[in-house]
Structures are given as structure tokens and as C-alpha cells.
Amino acid sequence: MLPGGSERHTVTVWLMKGSASQKFLDRFSEDFERDHEDIRVEFRIQEWTGIVDKVHKALRADSGTGPDVIEVGNTQVSQYVEGGRLTDLSLESMRDWDKRHWLPGLAEPGQDGSRQFGIPWYAANRVVIYRKDLFEQAGINRPPRTRDEWLADTEQLNSDGNQGIYLAGQDWYTLAGFIWEEGGELAEETDGLWQGTLDTPDALRGMDFYRRLQALGAGPVDADEEHPPQAGVFADGKVAQIVAVPGLTQSILQQNPELKGKLGYFPMPGRTADRPGSVFTGGSDLIVPQNTDDQDGAVAVVAALTGAKWNTELARTMNYVPNKTTLASAVDGAEGVAAMAAGAAHGRATPSTPQWTAVEADNPIKEYMTRVLGGADPQTEARRASERITEALAPGLG
């Protein structure tokens, strides 16, 4: 009971396991409830396994019986927009939350047309993890900043029994960044219909760069980065570079403690030195169900979690990229996170359609990559893969 006799009402927030530490949540709750004397925040931690069905069920529930705020993967928002069960937060986004500085890889998947449903919370993306000692031995005194420099340096590193880079043949998230950097797309929407576009000249240039880079190591052409886990390959000590999120360093050092102090990070190089290359951005958005019985309280919690104070605190605590480019300086002290933040400014997400999950379920991009890396004609294979993407996104048109 509060002074004056009024009671706090509870705003229930579903967060995913591992997204925020308990200490962070405790600090946030104490601060938020001190500023909002009528609200109590209750965090309920969810598992990723089975979460899509669980969220759909919550969105269909009677008003007031489910969560008021839900953390969802940035590429999942489109799955929940259908059916009109999310609160449109466009007004708050433009008026109060300065959406023009949001990371595009979080903001764009949260949109449906001109309406904003998903509010960016935090991001993570791939960088290049490299061996500083091997770079020094090869006479390379700074990380490459352009694609041409990256190829030249990697070729120089690919000697003395070392792999210049370990890049698995089916690392399609990395390929997506290369395609976007060339101006290509995985798929495009025209008049409400999606079609695969791997066979455009821009997308083909992205695949060609991947082919040239991948050839400077011994990565398998018929497997992705988890088969075998690339952390173990890198830890063996004969690899100069891998493409991964900085957090993979923990696994690498567990397997080879002698690499401590020898690892560095740099953003994916771009076509020019003006800016880093495009990358796939993963991370989370926050959504407010339409069936909440406390929309004002839910919006207040979203505003606080995604606002500068607590967003930078989350980034520092969990080694994430903050949700705005203007907050990137908050993680300058952490080399790996700073490299992520530089790349995230030019990050993208997979095509914003709920049918994209069907593409990933039987991923034709992986087979396309393996065929091209094995010597098949890129144009032919890109056309075949594009047709399969189209069939998955718009059955009957492929």
C-alpha cells in the first residue's frame, strides 16, 4: 500500500533467458518503481525453445491475463504483427524516443509499413576475431579497413602452415552482409509479393567476394560455422581470423588459454575505408500486446528499458550494442563490443516477412553457397536458389 492508500499495479514483462542479468533487473526495478510510485515491475524469464507458440497464445488471451511487455527476437516481430494483436507505438517512437537514431537492423524488422510495433532494445552482430600475434608475424600492423585490404592481408596470412581465415562454406549470415554491402538483397517485395533475388548482379558480387575470401582458408564448403564449431578450430592455433560475435572469445580461451591477450577484433571491412561493411544484426525488440490492461504502464516500462540510461547500462553489463548509433560511445572501452557497434550502424536483418522462417527451415542459400564454392556456375545456382526462396515466401510463384 502506498502513502494515501493507493496500491501499485503490476506490469508483467517477459524477457528471454540470458538477455539481462538478475542484478541489472533488480537495479532497474528499484529505480523505475521509485520514479513510478503506482507501478510494480514483474520480470518473468522465458526460454527460447517454444517461445513463438507461447507468445502467439499470450497475444490471443483475454485482456489482463498475459504479459504487458514481451521481448522478442528482432526478426520475429513480423510473425506477431499479423492479426492486429500488437500495440502501434509509432507516435511514441517519433515523438518521444528519437527513432531516427535507432539501429536499422533492429528498427526495420519492428515495422509493418509505416507503423512501428517493435522497439529496439539491444543488438549483437559478427565482427572479425583475429590473432594479433599472427598479424604481427606477417608484417601487418593494423587491421584492414577495405575489402581489398582484407583479401590482401588474408592471403599474406595464409602461409607458414596457418590459415589466413577459417570461413565455413555455408555461413549464410556472413554472406548476407556481403550481399547487402554490394547493394543486393536476399529477397525483395513488389506489390505485396516476395521474390528471391540472389541472382541479381549486386547479389552475385557479394557471393563472389565470399568465394574469394573463403578460398584463403581450409573451411569446409559443405558445412556451416557450427559443424565443426569454429571456436574449436580457431583455438587449435593455426587460424589467423574467424567471423563471429565477440562473445565466442570465451569459448576459444576456455579451449586454449594460451591465446589470452593475443586476440583482437575489427568490424567487417567495407568496400571503402569510409565505413565498415554491412552485417546481419541480431538482437531483440520489445513489443506491447494489444490485450494489455495497462497500456500506459507498459509503454512507460518500454520507454525506460530502451531509453539512454538503462540501455547503455544493459550494453555495458551484458556486452551488447546499444539500440542507437548515438549511444555507441558507451561501449568504447570494450574492444569487441566497440567493433560490433561500428558494424551495427550499417546492420540489416533478414527480409521482414513471417514466411522467412520457411526459407530458413530448408535453407536453399546454404546449398547455393556449397555448389558455387565447389565450382558450379554462380548465375545458374543463384537462379535456382532464388526460385526456391520465392516458392517458400509465395508458394506457387517460385
Side-chain angles (χ1 to χ4, degrees), residues 374-386:
D377 177 61
Q379 181 78 54
T380 301
E381 298 304 329
R383 187 179 302 113
R384 179 184 290 120
S386 294

Side-chain angles (χ1 to χ4, degrees), residues 205-234:
R205 285 197 301 272
M207 182 64 226
D208 186 62
F209 179 80
Y210 192 102
R211 178 190 60 78
R212 295 167 66 193
L213 185 66
Q214 198 271 343
L216 298 174
V221 301
D222 59 350
D224 62 25
E225 64 274 19
E226 290 301 321
H227 300 89
Q230 63 176 346
V233 178
F234 192 66

